[in-house]
Amino acid sequence: MDGVPTSGNPSILAIDLGTSAVKLAAVTLRGTILGGEVEPQELQLLPDGGAEQDPEAWWSAIVRATRRLLDKGVVSADDIVGINISSQWSGTVAVDERGKPLRPAIIWMDSRGEPHVRRAAHGFMPVEGFGLARLLTWVRLTGGAPSLTGKDPLGHILYLKSEHPALYRDTYKFLEPKDWLNLRLTGRFASSYDSITLHWVTDNRDLQRIRYDERLLKMTGLPREKLPDLVPAASVLGPLQPEAARALGLSEKVQVVTGAPDILAAAVGSGAVRDHEPHLCIGTSSWISCHLPYKKTDVFHQMGTLPSAIPGRYLLTNEQESAGICLSFLKDNILFGHEELARDSNTEDHGQASADLYKVLEKEAERVPAGSDRLIFMPWLNGERSPVDDQRLRGGFFNQSLKTTRGHMVRAVLEGVAYNSRWLFTYVEKFVGRRLDSLRLIGGGARSRLWCQIIADVLDRRIQQVDEPVLANARGAAFQAALALGHLTVDEIPSLVPVANTFEPNPQNRGLYDELFREFVNLYKSNKAIFARLNRVRSA
């Protein structure tokens, strides 16, 4: 992004640690994005359901991006008054007493903990895989329950405890990705009320005093001494420690705020901070979320209200595993491939070449009629969490013919992700008990006008495309920091997030998309048993 030199303009260095990239932005205390940098990240997918990344690579990317941003002059180092991190959630970094990672980070896509979580959740009078007493305890105290896919930190830690006992013994603390980065910044082993929730060992009933619960620790088998201390959301952890300040080129006086998981930061950055105002994110994964004034759980569809990035508020949380990653997978692994992209591009900038290809694919998809001539794409490339919790689901195209073109496949992917969002949206509306007439749209997918219109048509709702939607997390992190530092109030946030475009549903597509959505859900119902057989865990 281009920016203009600033002087005497207090700003937040907002860091968004995603799965595919680190996105970093300088944001004023009123939410104006002055400039930003992106550093791609590598993801290692393992054959046994593992998904890992190198924490040190996260830190190196942040250092490089910060230095580049400062060198461009879009913001002065003296103008940076705070740092705040929005991060991928539901990950685990095992560290020693110095904070050094003992192994690669296990991230939110990793399902190796599934059998261990199922054992921990099992009990008398089973309900949806949980013993009834255990399920009621989790729901009453936390507001939710662990994912039986093993993709929560609880599953990660139980996996290490069972299958890597020596490493487990050597671990001083298990930290979320955000909390490990905050450790690098401040030297503190701490987690905020919001980010710790997916360990499922905290009593979240009193939002002013969230704490570890002895019953939950005993039930899960997680030891308190291997978990970080807890601090309130949107609070100041302290100043930059000298080593971090030198690496980033910033003053040791810069204050570090607790930060927030990506879903929670995005809720703030979307501008939808009033109760019952939803936003939809189409990023690597996807979710539909809104703030609510009460604690509630829908354990059958993997959603519930958890502590928000805004102190004293609950946020409806859920997640669909694969959204934007479906389109990048189609581009890189089926239509082109990384090698062909690198060989045929006329620029050394691989990222720009990739962006250009997305534009080509979108133009081809625009020429295909709504419904993709009834080609349906199932986006469950890495299983699913909400509204069904099933890590054995898989994706694919259905009803392909000899007339199917590349444009058909691209549009079908866009529509398939939209069908999946509608599937979740039906349960979100039931959860909140009211019709939600419009949704703010953020994430990389929101840059596509075609995708925005498809989502509006499939959901039959007004879609508001947030300005600079890719940086919603960074904007949310900046707002949260401004709140923590006393420069902003929550009531001011909606007016500070502009809407770039509004997309109304096309009534001519209503009947077609209703029909195809019903068949999309039927595909799940008809094939879930087949997926379970094909993708069952096999012993060595």
Side-chain angles (χ1 to χ4, degrees):
M1 289 172 301
D2 295 327
V4 294
T6 62
S7 177
N9 192 8
S11 301
I12 304 297
L13 181 64
I15 299 167
D16 176 19
L17 173 64
T19 307
S20 58
V22 171
K23 295 181 282 290
L24 183 148
V27 189
T28 71
L29 299 176
R30 308 297 290 177
T32 300
I33 297 172
L34 303 174
E37 294 292 331
V38 177
E39 283 279 336
Q41 291 293 291
E42 292 186 1
L43 169 64
Q44 185 177 13
L45 296 177
L46 306 175
D48 55 354
E52 299 180 346
Q53 289 185 312
D54 178 8
E56 295 291 352
W58 297 339
W59 175 248
S60 297
I62 289 170
V63 170
R64 288 194 304 271
T66 302
R67 288 287 187 168
R68 256 195 338 266
L69 187 68
L70 295 175
D71 288 344
K72 286 183 176 180
V74 298
V75 66
S76 165
D78 293 336
D79 288 341
I80 300 296
V81 298
I83 293 180
N84 206 28
I85 294 172
S86 160
S87 171
Q88 54 171 280
W89 201 7
S90 193
T92 302
V93 186
V95 301
D96 63 18
E97 292 186 358
R98 298 172 299 164
K100 181 180 179 181
L102 298 176
R103 68 178 315 283
I106 303 175
I107 71 165
W108 58 275
M109 301 170 70
D110 194 299
S111 61
R112 288 175 290 182
E114 181 193 7
H116 310 293
V117 171
R118 288 187 178 276
R119 279 196 295 272
H122 182 70
F124 180 67
M125 295 182 65
V127 177
E128 295 289 313
F130 294 87
L132 180 59
R134 290 173 178 259
L135 178 60
L136 292 176
T137 300
W138 264 313
V139 170
R140 182 171 62 88
L141 297 179
T142 71
S147 169
L148 296 179
T149 62
K151 294 178 180 179
D152 293 337
L154 172 60
H156 304 162
I157 297 171
L158 293 180
Y159 159 74
L160 293 174
K161 183 179 182 179
S162 176
E163 302 189 31
H164 299 276
L167 184 140
Y168 177 85
R169 286 194 302 270
D170 292 341
T171 297
Y172 175 62
K173 298 290 183 184
F174 293 104
L175 301 175
E176 275 275 357
K178 169 185 78 69
D179 300 327
W180 181 77
L181 289 174
N182 281 337
L183 172 65
R184 290 298 300 260
L185 293 170
T186 68
R188 291 188 62 182
F189 293 89
S191 182
S192 50
Y193 289 172
D194 48 359
S195 64
I196 198 64
T197 51
L198 295 189
H199 288 68
W200 304 108
V201 290
T202 52
D203 185 340
N204 302 327
R205 291 174 295 177
D206 181 356
L207 289 174
Q208 307 303 323
R209 186 176 171 270
I210 291 175
R211 56 185 175 79
Y212 291 113
D213 184 90
E214 289 298 330
R215 289 161 293 182
L216 296 174
L217 290 167
K218 182 178 180 180
M219 199 163 73
T220 59
L222 298 191
R224 167 64 185 90
E225 64 271 15
K226 289 186 180 291
L227 299 174
D229 293 336
L230 300 181
V231 297
S235 58
V236 178
L237 284 174
L240 276 177
Q241 61 176 339
E243 181 182 354
R246 287 193 298 272
L248 297 171
L250 297 173
S251 166
E252 294 178 27
K253 296 180 181 179
V254 173
Q255 298 297 304
V256 180
V257 179
T258 50
D262 49 10
I263 295 176
L264 309 187
V268 179
S270 73
V273 295
R274 301 184 185 94
D275 286 339
H276 304 104
E277 287 185 345
H279 79 271
L280 165 61
C281 178
I282 302 292
T284 301
S285 60
S286 180
W287 60 78
I288 300 174
S289 182
C290 62
H291 287 89
L292 293 172
Y294 48 77
K295 178 175 169 289
K296 183 179 178 180
T297 304
D298 178 356
V299 72
F300 298 104
H301 300 105
Q302 278 290 305
M303 66 176 73
T305 52
L306 298 177
S308 162
I310 299 173
R313 302 281 296 282
Y314 285 110
L315 185 76
L316 170 60
T317 56
N318 48 62
E319 185 172 32
Q320 294 183 317
E321 282 284 285
S322 303
I325 199 172
C326 297
L327 187 60
S328 59
F329 181 88
L330 178 70
K331 173 179 68 68
D332 294 337
N333 296 287
I334 298 177
L335 299 182
F336 297 104
H338 296 289
E339 296 82 3
E340 182 178 341
L341 175 60
R343 183 181 66 247
D344 293 345
S345 65
N346 295 320
T347 173
E348 295 181 358
D349 187 342
H350 181 93
Q352 182 59 48
S354 181
D356 291 343
L357 276 180
Y358 281 122
K359 293 178 182 177
V360 171
L361 295 178
E362 183 172 11
K363 287 182 179 179
E364 293 192 21
E366 285 175 342
R367 292 194 285 265
V368 175
S372 303
D373 289 327
R374 300 180 185 272
L375 176 68
I376 298 177
F377 174 73
M378 299 170 287
W380 312 306
L381 299 184
N382 194 48
E384 192 52 282
R385 289 201 191 208
S386 301
V388 294
D389 189 20
D390 188 345
Q391 66 112 349
R392 291 178 177 81
L393 291 184
R394 292 297 181 266
F397 292 94
F398 184 81
N399 205 34
Q400 188 172 343
S401 75
L402 291 174
K403 295 181 180 180
T404 298
T405 66
R406 183 165 64 183
H408 283 90
M409 298 179 77
V410 174
R411 185 175 183 111
V413 167
L414 305 183
E415 291 173 336
V417 172
Y419 297 144
N420 215 38
S421 295
R422 176 171 169 176
W423 195 20
L424 177 60
F425 187 59
T426 59
Y427 294 104
V428 167
E429 287 195 321
K430 290 178 181 178
F431 189 100
V432 302
R434 64 182 66 193
R435 176 186 169 93
L436 303 174
D437 291 317
S438 67
L439 299 90
R440 288 198 171 204
L441 187 63
I442 60 173
R447 290 177 296 187
S448 166
R449 292 180 62 90
L450 175 62
W451 213 345
C452 290
Q453 187 61 57
I454 286 173
I455 293 169
D457 291 351
V458 170
L459 269 64
D460 192 28
R461 296 293 188 273
R462 180 185 305 112
I463 295 297
Q464 295 178 307
Q465 179 194 42
V466 171
D467 188 44
E468 298 202 67
V470 176
L471 293 175
N473 288 16
R475 184 188 279 122
F479 284 151
Q480 191 200 42
L483 288 171
L485 297 172
H487 297 293
L488 187 69
T489 65
V490 174
D491 292 339
E492 294 176 280
I493 291 176
S495 64
L496 299 177
V497 183
V499 171
N501 294 286
T502 299
F503 298 83
E504 298 287 349
N506 184 346
Q508 295 181 349
N509 295 331
R510 173 80 276 116
L512 174 63
Y513 278 136
D514 283 349
E515 176 191 353
L516 293 177
F517 170 69
R518 287 193 296 270
E519 298 300 354
F520 176 86
V521 177
N522 285 337
L523 283 171
Y524 159 72
K525 294 177 179 177
S526 300
N527 291 291
K528 62 180 180 179
I530 298 175
F531 286 130
R533 292 193 295 271
L534 290 175
N535 301 306
R536 68 182 183 274
V537 177
R538 292 171 171 80
S539 57

